[in-house]
Amino acid sequence: QDFPFSWACVVIGCNFASFAVVSSLSDAYPPLWKDCPDKLSDYKIENGKYIINFWHYLERQGAYKILLNETAKYFEKFAPENEQNILWGLPIHHGWQYHTGRLADPTQRTDCGHKSGDHLCISVDSWWADLNFYLSAMPFLAAVDSGIMGIPSDNVTLLPPYKDQMSFCFNVSSCRSSFPEAMKKWNEFYQHLKSNSSSFDDLLKYLWAAHVSSLEVAHKNFHNRLRYYSKQEADFGRNWALFVDYLAPPLFPTTLIRTYEFQKGLPTRVLLSGDRPLFISDFTGFQKSVLLTLNLLHIVHKYTGTLSFIVWKTLMKSEIARELFLEILEFILHYFN
Ligand SMILES: *[C@@H]1O[C@H](CO)[C@@H](O)[C@H](O)[C@H]1NC(C)=O
Ligand SMILES: *[C@@H]1O[C@H](CO)[C@@H](O)[C@H](O)[C@H]1NC(C)=O
Ligand SMILES: *[C@@H]1O[C@H](CO)[C@@H](O)[C@H](O)[C@H]1NC(C)=O
Ligand SMILES: *[C@@H]1O[C@H](CO)[C@@H](O)[C@H](O)[C@H]1NC(C)=O
């Protein structure tokens, strides 16, 4: 099959099963996954439309859950139990955002998203939540639009947040007119998925193109939210976003187990002023190394004036370089996990 690591894995002896830390696939599922809606009819219906509140963790995560369920059949040929569905990267990462308090109101003016308060609330002031909106609402609505969900495009409406409504969109047609490029890219991904003829790597290519397109608009619109955080957290957010830009050219395969293992390297709480990457006592060696690597990447990127990114993109066009990079990354994951 088209699984990009297969040969590499033979060489370094890493087969998938050796991610044995995961005893069952459901261990890798995002927090509260079983409590999320698993079909559209679990949502409220008004005037013949499903009403989804993307500012509530279970409802946003539920949209992903339905998306994963509806796309499972296209990934069956790669592995059982939907493990190779490359859309897993999105809900797994969103689960991390929830679990680590990153969806909470960073201004502390409300208890939205805070453990002691309304913990399922997603704050419109959270930089992480706003970026994720573009990576949840858009892929979801584009899936509706491309017929993946089996309902008419006009049948879903998302509830607006209490402010800054202009930065968001709430149904297929308004998302298409406000964010034409990103919606088009997500649609292209689903068209290729539906055709059944694309290879695994081709699907990754369309997925990452859509992902990058969503993030491009999101960065512009929500940059100002970073001021609500400590310098450490704001830097981490910015560096993480930069790192994701670098993960796109090698087409990192965002499948269930791999994303889950990778995410163990991310900070388990919001960074506070005074946190210094190598000296955070409640973080693992893996987490500290990731923070340090992200800092280094930022420095290199800054001082080469993005030349490093251009070189990287060019390098990753070579299949050998790309597989080598993914192999090294896989090796690092095994080393730390
Ligand atoms: C969806 O659209 C169809 C056709 O426009 C309509 O008949 C149906 O009631 C709508 N609502 C739901 C919740 O399916
Ligand atoms: C999709 O969800 C339905 C229940 O809503 C379930 O019966 C089915 O097994 C799920 N399919 C997959 C591939 O997870
Ligand atoms: C979509 O949303 C826009 C504004 O957000 C609204 O004007 C339009 O009527 C909505 N369309 C449908 C089909 O619900
Ligand atoms: C693609 O594969 C799925 C699952 O095997 C199948 O249900 C569907 O009909 C196929 N679609 C096309 C266009 O071949």
Side-chain angles (χ1 to χ4, degrees), residues 33-310:
W33 189 247
K34 67 169 174 31
D35 300 329
C36 298
D38 40 28
K39 46 192 180 317
L40 282 167
S41 57
D42 290 344
Y43 291 104
K44 206 161 75 186
I45 301 176
E46 248 170 45
N47 302 325
K49 295 181 202 291
Y50 297 106
I51 310 292
I52 308 182
N53 179 7
F54 264 57
W55 305 97
H56 186 274
Y57 174 73
L58 297 180
E59 296 207 15
R60 192 185 287 201
Q61 197 66 286
Y64 281 137
K65 192 172 171 185
I66 294 165
L67 183 60
L68 264 289
N69 183 292
E70 296 289 344
T71 53
K73 61 173 181 277
Y74 306 110
F75 292 93
E76 259 167 10
K77 57 178 179 273
F78 302 115
E81 294 188 70
N82 209 16
E83 199 284 326
Q84 289 286 292
N85 192 328
I86 54 180
L87 286 165
W88 270 120
L90 298 169
I92 300 264
H93 192 62
H94 187 51
W96 166 81
Q97 294 173 335
Y98 166 75
H99 172 71
T100 61
R102 286 184 164 81
L103 301 176
D105 180 358
T107 68
Q108 313 283 345
R109 282 193 294 254
T110 67
D111 70 357
C112 176
H114 289 284
K115 286 219 165 62
S116 53
D118 187 359
H119 69 105
L120 294 172
C121 175
I122 297 181
S123 170
V124 67
D125 285 316
S126 157
W127 178 82
W128 297 93
D130 290 342
L131 258 64
N132 180 263
F133 182 90
Y134 286 36
L135 289 171
S136 53
M138 288 190 206
F140 180 76
L141 290 175
V144 171
D145 195 25
S146 55
I148 294 266
M149 303 293 187
I151 54 163
S153 293
D154 289 348
N155 270 16
V156 177
T157 298
L158 312 185
L159 291 183
Y162 78 92
K163 66 170 202 189
D164 293 341
Q165 284 102 350
M166 291 301 287
S167 303
F168 303 93
C169 59
F170 312 107
N171 59 36
V172 169
S173 57
S174 73
C175 288
R176 271 174 37 178
S177 58
S178 305
F179 308 105
E181 193 57 26
M183 286 296 281
K184 188 175 126 238
K185 294 266 169 64
W186 283 108
N187 237 307
E188 273 166 17
F189 166 69
Y190 293 117
Q191 295 310 331
H192 283 91
L193 192 61
K194 278 168 67 180
S195 81
N196 276 358
S197 58
S198 302
S199 68
F200 189 76
D201 280 2
D202 278 340
L203 292 177
L204 280 172
K205 203 171 74 198
Y206 293 108
L207 178 82
W208 274 107
H211 194 281
V212 165
S213 184
S214 272
L215 278 183
E216 244 168 44
V217 246
H219 282 315
K220 281 194 214 107
N221 288 355
F222 301 114
H223 190 74
N224 62 355
R225 300 283 201 265
L226 285 171
R227 70 175 190 276
Y228 298 139
Y229 297 90
S230 70
K231 181 180 181 307
Q232 280 69 12
E233 177 69 8
D235 284 350
F236 167 66
R238 202 180 305 110
N239 295 348
W240 170 249
L242 178 67
F243 179 72
V244 172
D245 285 345
Y246 275 78
L247 273 186
L251 306 177
F252 179 76
T254 45
T255 54
L256 176 59
I257 305 295
R258 189 176 292 101
T259 310
Y260 168 76
E261 294 295 336
F262 186 70
Q263 201 156 267
K264 289 184 183 165
L266 298 186
T268 46
R269 58 168 173 78
V270 175
L271 298 180
L272 306 172
S273 58
D275 278 341
R276 291 174 52 214
L278 282 179
F279 304 97
I280 303 178
S281 57
D282 54 337
F283 285 6
T284 63
F286 186 22
Q287 287 158 353
K288 290 187 250 194
S289 310
V290 167
L291 279 183
L292 199 66
T293 307
L294 295 186
N295 277 336
L296 286 177
L297 177 67
H298 169 73
I299 292 168
V300 170
H301 188 78
K302 189 168 151 200
Y303 285 101
T304 63
T306 72
L307 178 67
S308 56
F309 187 61
I310 294 164

